[in-house]
Amino acid sequence: MATTESEPRTTSAVDRMFRLRERGTSVRTEVLAGVSMFLASAYVVVVVPGMLAGAGVPHAAATTAVIVTVVLATLFMGFYANLPFVLAPGLGGVALVAVTLIQHDHVPYDVAMGMVLWSGVAFLLLTLLGVRQLVSRIIPDCVRLAIGPAIGLYIALLGFRSAGLIEFGPKGMKLGELTAAPGLLTVAGLCLVTALASRKVPGTLLITMVALTIVAIPLGVAELPDSWFELPGGLGATAFHVDVLGALKPEYLPYLFALFAAEFFSATGVVMAVAERIGLTDDQGNVPDIKKPFLVDSVSIIGGAAVGGPSVTTYLESAAGSDSGGRTGLTSVVTGSLFALLLLFTPVATMIPAAATAPVLIFIGLSMLAGLRKIDMTDPTDAVPAAVVVACTLFWGNFGTGIAAGLTLYVLIKSLAGRFRELHPGLWVMLPFLVYFFYNSVH
């Protein structure tokens, strides 16, 4: 009898906290949506630590740091913003930190994490001051729209490289061992993930990685762990390794800008798209209380840098939750709780080989090329800078250089074309830093 009487009070408390009836949903629907969102985004627990491990971060510590970051950020979004979003380290930002900064430019890990932290501080200040439109006006649309595809090709390149499909030698890039087991698994995985995605199968990326790992074990590409369950690894190798002052050197400004721009526009795009999908936008397409999800994003970037999970952002996989009926933050709470359970299963995550994660990286990267179709290719003063952002990022393996080259070229081309009115004054302020960064990157 006591249990029966407590159920309405419990349901009512949850209803009041997450406004379930107001948004036309139920606890059951939100739980199922949370499970769907978890399955769609669980691949980050494997892919992101693998990328960080390639930069010298201990794999166990990186895995724990990523999971802790996802849990805290997603729960924060659920309880504070009451929105069905999952947050995790963005692959573009992780690639910039782990590959470009640490491996390519030999920037110390703590300095790289300091840049991530400062990008979050900039995001937070713009959110609190309500000047989000300022950044949108400074960055030309053609360059902004090229950021996603540039990151995408960069991520796809990492996937091809980790699978051994391409190799880098003294004479540059060449074809790798296509007939080796990792290469064959990657090609098969790319076909599988594309086919599943075309059928809109829930948890496509996770299913692909699990299937490839199972096949990889008898091929000798993966090994079963000694123990399936294990207490979480310590965060000593990642937590609070942040050089706040070292990240403020002038030559790092374009990197700060690149991190901030990628996080800022990614968060804006995902929040607007998912909010519209679940019917939370007004007649003008605006999201009420949009400051809340932006505040969660910016604070999570700062907190993630402190813990060791770089470049946290709202994931597009949040759409899996909304498509399953998720309308409130309860979906996020369920997703965050499921990620917390993964802390006990880190050996399972660490056994998944690069051949299983490479197809996911390639698929995600190539899918980001869709942004190119929004660029006005009939106007060469827009098309050429956008193409340069993508090409320089890919050819030089440096996202910061791509951004600097594209913005510098945009200013020069528009000036020579006599279209000064299209140049925001902020670009002239940034130009000396961009040129300085570009010069040091290519010498």
Side-chain angles (χ1 to χ4, degrees):
M1 187 69 178
T3 302
T4 305
E5 291 177 353
S6 65
E7 287 178 356
R9 287 198 295 270
T10 303
T11 303
S12 178
V14 174
D15 194 323
R16 287 196 302 271
M17 177 178 293
F18 296 105
R19 297 154 59 187
L20 300 180
R21 293 183 184 179
E22 179 182 331
R23 296 188 183 178
T25 184
S26 64
V27 172
R28 179 179 181 277
T29 300
E30 295 294 300
V31 170
L32 292 176
V35 173
S36 298
M37 196 160 69
F38 166 76
L39 292 175
S41 55
Y43 69 91
V44 302
V45 175
V46 178
V47 176
V48 174
M51 296 171 71
L52 292 173
V57 181
H59 201 290
T63 302
T64 301
V66 169
I67 295 176
V68 169
T69 300
V70 174
V71 171
L72 295 179
T74 304
L75 290 178
F76 185 19
M77 179 67 79
F79 284 116
Y80 176 71
N82 194 25
L83 289 171
F85 296 139
V86 58
L87 291 86
L91 297 188
V94 174
L96 177 57
V97 170
V99 182
T100 299
L101 290 176
I102 299 178
Q103 296 183 56
H104 186 274
D105 291 347
H106 307 292
V107 175
Y109 172 81
D110 53 351
V111 174
M113 297 306 289
M115 295 184 210
V116 175
L117 185 143
W118 280 116
S119 68
V121 171
F123 196 169
L124 177 60
L125 290 176
L126 287 178
T127 300
L128 294 175
L129 296 175
V131 289
R132 182 169 59 96
Q133 295 79 4
L134 176 62
V135 178
S136 301
R137 288 196 296 267
I138 292 177
I139 305 175
D141 287 341
C142 62
V143 174
R144 175 177 59 82
L145 293 171
I147 290 176
I151 294 175
L153 277 179
Y154 194 32
I155 292 172
L157 180 65
L158 295 178
F160 280 107
R161 188 176 183 178
S162 67
L165 294 177
I166 59 173
E167 298 175 355
F168 291 88
K171 296 183 179 180
M173 187 170 59
K174 66 177 183 178
L175 196 63
E177 293 291 335
L178 294 178
T179 57
L184 293 174
L185 279 173
T186 300
V187 173
L190 185 58
C191 295
L192 176 62
V193 70
T194 305
L196 293 176
S198 68
R199 293 175 175 269
K200 302 186 184 303
V201 176
T204 289
L205 303 180
L206 185 63
I207 291 173
T208 300
M209 289 192 298
V210 171
L212 291 177
T213 301
I214 293 173
V215 176
I217 293 173
L219 295 178
V221 180
E223 296 181 358
L224 290 172
D226 296 330
S227 174
W228 294 95
F229 307 97
E230 189 176 275
L231 292 176
L235 293 173
T238 60
F240 304 110
H241 288 264
V242 182
D243 187 347
V244 177
L245 297 179
L248 293 177
K249 292 182 179 180
E251 59 265 33
Y252 294 149
L253 178 62
Y255 283 134
L256 285 168
F257 176 77
L259 283 165
F260 167 78
E263 294 155 355
F264 183 87
F265 289 111
S266 173
T268 301
V270 173
V271 169
M272 295 295 290
V274 177
E276 182 178 3
R277 186 176 297 201
I278 62 180
L280 292 182
T281 54
D282 57 22
D283 296 336
Q284 286 74 40
N286 298 315
V287 181
D289 293 329
I290 196 171
K291 275 190 175 182
K292 285 188 175 181
F294 284 162
L295 182 65
V296 173
D297 255 304
S298 56
V299 172
S300 298
I301 293 169
I302 298 172
V307 173
S311 300
V312 178
T313 188
T314 302
Y315 261 51
L316 186 58
E317 281 74 12
S318 301
S322 63
D323 288 350
S324 299
R327 296 292 182 271
T328 74
L330 182 56
T331 296
S332 298
V333 172
V334 172
T335 301
S337 301
L338 291 173
F339 269 106
L341 290 176
L342 287 182
L343 284 171
L344 301 176
F345 297 90
T346 52
V348 179
T350 55
M351 70 170 282
I352 298 178
T357 59
V360 172
L361 287 173
I362 296 170
F363 177 77
I364 293 174
L366 296 180
S367 66
M368 294 172 71
L369 295 177
L372 289 174
R373 68 174 182 265
K374 299 179 181 179
I375 300 173
D376 183 9
M377 290 298 180
T378 62
D379 183 354
T381 64
D382 285 343
V384 172
V388 165
V389 172
V390 178
C392 288
T393 298
L394 184 64
F395 296 151
W396 287 328
N398 190 315
F399 181 59
T401 305
I403 288 284
L407 284 173
T408 302
L409 197 62
Y410 179 84
V411 174
L412 295 176
I413 290 176
K414 290 291 185 180
S415 299
L416 291 173
R419 296 163 64 171
F420 294 97
R421 293 183 178 180
E422 298 179 30
L423 296 173
H424 191 279
L427 287 175
W428 293 108
V429 176
M430 294 176 58
L431 189 59
F433 294 100
L434 294 172
V435 173
Y436 175 78
F437 173 81
F438 183 78
Y439 177 82
N440 282 276
S441 297
V442 297
H443 283 77

